[in-house]
Amino acid sequence: MFQSFDTVSDPSLAAGRVARLRARLAQAGVDGFLVPRADEHQGEYVPACAERLAWITGFTGSAGVALIMKDKAWLFVDGRYTLQGRTQTDPGLFEIVDLVETPPAAFMRTRLPAGARVGFDPWLHTIDEARKLRKALGEGGGALLALDENPLDAVWQDRPAPPLKPVAIHPERYAGRLARDKLADLAAAVGAAKASHTVLTDPASLCWAFNIRGGDVPHTPLALGFSILPAEGRPQLFIDKRKLPMKTEAYLTQLADLKPPAALDGALSDLAEAGATIGLDPALAAEKLRQVVEDRGGTVLALPDPVRLPRAIKNAAELAGSRAAHRRDGAAVSRFLAWLDRQPAGAVDEIGAVRALEDARRAAGETAQMPLRDISFDTISGAGPNGAIIHYRVTTETSRTLGPGELYLVDSGGQYEDGTTDITRTVAIGTPNAEMRERYTLVLKGLIGITLLRFPIGTRGCDIDAVARMALWKAGLDYGHGTGHGVGSYLSVHEGPQRLARTGTEKLLAGMILSNEPGYYKEGAYGIRIENLVVVGEASPVPGGDRPMHDFETLTLAPFDRRLIAEDLLTKEELQWLDGYHARVLAEIGPMLDGEDRAWLERAAAPLARH
């Protein structure tokens, strides 16, 4: 199994750990300390040695930050993790604060006493974050103090060692372009921005640029490291050589000068002292890198990561791989759903369902000679009230039986060498009630609304997020997460900069892959989410139209639960799309199923009665 069901959170340990940290803070002469859920690369997924937030609070979500002062402490989480934050932390220690409505900088401005001195690790906060925090504290006469040593690391005695998983070459047939060509384009972009160098800090950018993949973080094939890319000359790649098999090292030596990660500070210092202008992405690069450059007399240029857009705009080979991965994955998910439908209510628990789904993915990969390399994230397997926890992680302690009259939400994905998948389906266990059917259909209307959109070139995710919410809003309902995130090509299942959300300000460009996943969550009762991945395409012209348009192609192929669809709430256009989608599912993945699984799919994908 790629997924563990062990309980990794124990709120009872937090009190002792917080006490030891506070003693260390007193020695350092600061009133408080910030503990983000971050590593030196500011990524969403971090190795075990960087799970500082989980260690000090018990909270294991993928986004959050703790502020620990002498006598009070707060945990900031977004809407996805409100319930999880409450259950995984000690309420006597940590007060939960909404990360979106009241981010730490705004909180510090109004809630901390005047003159507060707050320490932080400059490797674990971006340049933008540090600037906002420094400004907020300064307004109250306080100070943000960069600490040379992370005080939490000093008291974390059994901290895991850094990862050393082997790095592999990602073949050109899946990457679509040679690394040397990518690096040449990136060098030109650095020069065009009037920088002499830039630093790649995001491991996903590093892996994409050099056509490599690793295993340093869970479920995402990242090799942790940094690279200094010059406008002219050879790149420098800072990566632990213990992770490089002979073939990979020989390959990378042709592309860059290889150096250990500890040499990054010195290399930047040398460039800064020589008068270099170094591009750093303020939203991604650690504050420490800015300090090193400016302290040595260099110039920092605010320069967005030059890899992010090329990486997000998939080329023909990456799109072909994604389509193949989704056909294979859709067959696996459909086989799982068929199996689940044959089980009596109460016969399967959340962990058993996860195991069955992973087995189905493994079997599909072996049949297609494209092995499942990993799951793309811990499968969210939530029955009944657990489905209302947006990023629920099932453990041996929390696993529920899928009982009659309940809804079961399963959000999962696979990592294949030709593509990354992410799909959510919500199904009825037994007979759903009228409210469940109504709200499922409202969510489905939102997914279809996004799917059917044609939108002008230049449209951003924030411009269309409301389309997915319209039917819910009319019923006085909503959901507390974005509608969609970007997805990588055998990389991160959460990839920027594109997203469908109120905060999605990046233009949607042809070739970008996004999720389309509206939902509804009734705390203590059930959760509903439906998710397909889509790719932005160039829409065919409309007679009489005078604006070039984009549209969405759906990549995900698996049926929706027709028992949950209230057909009378769907328009004729929505019914036509749904029947057409199911016909496509049957045509494309039907030949990959046989026996009772194929018979189940034929029933699940049959035209709806009203249509």
Side-chain angles (χ1 to χ4, degrees):
M1 286 293 296
F2 287 119
Q3 182 167 341
S4 165
F5 305 106
D6 296 336
T7 300
V8 295
S9 174
D10 186 352
S12 68
L13 298 174
R17 293 172 176 178
V18 169
R20 294 199 297 275
L21 176 61
R22 282 174 169 156
R24 199 80 185 187
L25 298 181
Q27 295 173 16
V30 293
D31 302 314
F33 186 67
L34 284 159
V35 184
R37 206 277 182 171
D39 64 2
E40 295 83 351
H41 306 279
Q42 314 303 320
E44 178 179 359
Y45 301 104
V46 300
C49 62
E51 289 281 11
R52 297 175 178 89
L53 184 63
W55 184 83
I56 196 70
T57 67
F59 171 69
T60 60
S62 64
V65 59
L67 172 60
I68 299 172
M69 303 297 288
K70 292 178 180 178
D71 55 357
K72 292 184 178 179
W74 300 269
L75 174 66
F76 299 79
V77 295
D78 62 36
R80 297 171 297 170
Y81 293 119
T82 303
L83 293 178
Q84 184 176 334
R86 291 179 197 154
T87 59
Q88 287 189 322
T89 57
D90 181 347
L93 277 176
F94 292 96
E95 177 185 335
I96 305 299
V97 182
D98 190 301
L99 180 62
V100 177
E101 292 183 2
T102 313
F107 182 90
M108 289 177 171
R109 185 177 289 111
T110 59
R111 294 284 299 272
L112 292 192
R117 293 161 54 85
V118 178
F120 80 116
D121 183 339
W123 275 112
L124 305 183
H125 296 264
T126 66
I127 297 169
D128 273 349
E129 288 170 353
R131 182 175 63 247
K132 292 174 184 176
L133 293 167
R134 189 176 293 112
K135 183 175 184 293
L137 283 165
E139 290 176 1
L144 181 71
L145 303 175
L147 303 182
D148 294 332
E149 177 190 50
N150 189 312
L152 187 148
D153 293 352
V155 299
W156 188 0
Q157 296 176 346
D158 58 348
R159 184 182 172 204
L164 290 173
K165 294 296 179 67
V167 178
I169 303 167
H170 189 51
E172 184 191 357
R173 64 181 178 276
Y174 303 128
R177 295 190 69 202
L178 293 172
R180 65 169 178 262
D181 296 333
K182 294 180 179 180
L183 291 169
D185 287 350
L186 294 171
V190 172
K194 307 301 182 186
S196 60
H197 302 76
T198 195
V199 184
L200 296 187
T201 63
D202 183 347
S205 293
L206 189 81
C207 288
W208 183 90
F210 286 91
N211 283 351
I212 55 175
R213 299 295 188 268
D216 285 338
V217 302
H219 311 318
T220 305
L222 298 180
L224 298 182
F226 297 90
S227 180
I228 297 178
L229 298 183
E232 297 180 3
R234 275 172 66 81
Q236 298 180 64
L237 179 57
F238 301 85
I239 193 166
D240 194 321
K241 283 191 177 183
R242 291 176 293 176
K243 297 191 291 191
L244 304 181
M246 186 180 300
K247 181 179 178 181
T248 305
E249 183 176 354
Y251 161 79
L252 289 173
T253 300
Q254 299 175 52
L255 299 171
D257 296 332
L258 303 186
K259 299 183 178 181
L264 177 61
D265 278 18
L268 280 178
S269 295
D270 291 344
L271 291 172
E273 289 171 357
T277 298
I278 299 176
L280 295 175
D281 189 328
L284 291 174
E287 166 72 358
K288 177 67 175 180
L289 300 179
R290 182 200 65 80
Q291 291 177 351
V292 169
V293 173
E294 294 187 348
D295 287 351
R296 300 301 189 280
T299 300
V300 170
L301 176 69
L303 178 65
D305 179 347
V307 175
R308 294 194 98 198
L309 272 181
R311 188 182 77 216
I313 300 170
K314 307 299 183 285
N315 59 44
E318 291 171 323
L319 289 175
S322 184
R323 293 184 182 104
H326 279 88
R327 285 191 294 271
R328 182 185 323 116
D329 202 68
V333 171
S334 296
R335 193 181 300 278
F336 161 74
L337 293 173
W339 168 83
L340 184 63
D341 206 33
R342 293 193 293 268
Q343 310 309 307
V348 178
D349 66 7
E350 293 168 346
I351 290 178
V354 173
R355 293 185 186 278
L357 178 52
E358 186 171 316
D359 287 345
R361 282 196 164 98
R362 287 182 185 275
E366 290 169 2
T367 300
Q369 298 184 328
M370 179 61 72
L372 177 70
R373 298 297 187 188
D374 204 331
I375 54 177
S376 52
F377 54 95
D378 281 342
T379 297
I380 299 170
S381 175
N386 286 345
I389 303 172
I390 296 173
H391 273 204
Y392 170 67
R393 177 184 176 273
V394 58
T395 69
T396 52
E397 292 184 2
T398 65
S399 183
R400 293 183 80 258
T401 298
L402 280 58
E406 291 187 338
L407 296 185
Y408 171 61
L409 186 157
V410 56
D411 185 348
S412 68
Q415 291 281 15
Y416 308 92
E417 203 168 6
D418 58 351
T420 299
T421 69
D422 183 3
I423 174 175
T424 308
R425 290 295 183 265
T426 302
V427 298
I429 306 300
T431 303
N433 62 38
E435 179 187 281
M436 293 172 176
R437 295 182 72 244
E438 175 211 17
R439 296 188 180 184
Y440 179 94
T441 307
L442 296 178
V443 173
L444 178 60
K445 287 171 74 71
L447 178 138
I448 296 173
I450 292 290
T451 305
L452 291 175
L453 270 182
R454 294 171 60 94
F455 49 95
I457 290 175
T459 296
R460 305 161 300 169
C462 60
D463 298 326
I464 61 177
D465 175 75
V467 172
R469 303 175 189 269
M470 287 174 60
L472 287 164
W473 284 352
K474 288 179 180 178
L477 309 171
D478 200 2
Y479 50 94
H481 57 77
T483 299
H485 53 82
V487 178
S489 179
Y490 188 42
L491 274 173
S492 176
V493 74
H494 289 169
E495 176 182 89
Q498 74 276 22
R499 56 192 313 231
L500 302 179
R502 295 179 177 96
T503 55
T505 57
E506 190 70 34
K507 293 178 182 178
L508 302 180
L509 304 175
M512 287 180 169
I513 296 176
L514 301 108
S515 68
N516 173 11
E517 50 180 313
Y520 171 74
Y521 310 91
K522 186 173 183 178
E523 185 174 348
Y526 59 83
I528 297 167
R529 186 162 64 252
I530 314 171
E531 176 186 19
N532 283 347
L533 296 194
V534 296
V535 58
V536 180
E538 296 179 359
S540 56
V542 174
D546 58 8
R547 295 282 300 275
M549 294 279 171
H550 284 321
D551 61 7
F552 290 122
E553 170 196 346
T554 297
L555 296 171
T556 304
L557 296 167
F560 303 108
D561 189 345
R562 55 197 301 124
R563 293 168 298 187
L564 284 167
I565 299 173
E567 295 179 42
D568 58 320
L569 296 180
L570 297 177
T571 67
K572 180 179 179 180
E573 183 182 32
E574 290 166 342
L575 283 164
Q576 289 175 336
W577 178 86
L578 195 54
D579 280 350
Y581 174 75
H582 278 152
R584 181 186 163 208
V585 168
L586 182 59
E588 294 200 33
I589 69 173
M592 303 168 74
L593 304 181
D594 54 20
E596 54 186 353
D597 294 334
R598 170 66 188 238
W600 176 89
L601 182 63
E602 289 175 351
R603 294 191 299 272
L608 292 169
R610 180 178 149 207
H611 187 210

